[in-house]
Amino acid sequence: MNEFKPVKQEKTVISIRLDVDMLKNIDELSAKSDISRNELIVQCIDFALKHLSQK
């Protein structure tokens, strides 16, 4: 069995400006998913970067 080794990932605080309707959508999705707004945004960015078409 593999051993669990917790790893602290380095994070930094940033600021972004979002359209009001986009923020409402994000807040609704985060509430439905029972995760924070920040975690939802991080997961969305991660998904987008992994699926970005490389030209």
Side-chain angles (χ1 to χ4, degrees):
M1 183 166 136
N2 292 336
E3 185 177 331
F4 173 71
K5 295 181 183 180
V7 177
K8 183 176 180 179
Q9 294 181 331
E10 184 177 344
K11 295 186 179 183
T12 187
V13 177
I14 64 166
S15 173
I16 60 173
R17 289 167 181 77
L18 299 174
D19 178 78
V20 173
D21 290 332
M22 183 183 293
L23 182 57
K24 284 181 186 177
N25 192 7
I26 289 169
D27 286 342
E28 289 171 4
L29 287 170
S30 68
K32 286 179 186 176
S33 303
D34 194 29
I35 60 174
S36 70
R37 175 196 293 165
N38 182 75
E39 186 58 33
L40 178 67
I41 292 170
V42 168
Q43 289 182 30
C44 288
I45 293 170
D46 185 54
F47 180 85
L49 289 172
K50 287 178 179 174
H51 294 87
L52 188 63
S53 175
Q54 302 292 326
K55 291 185 178 184

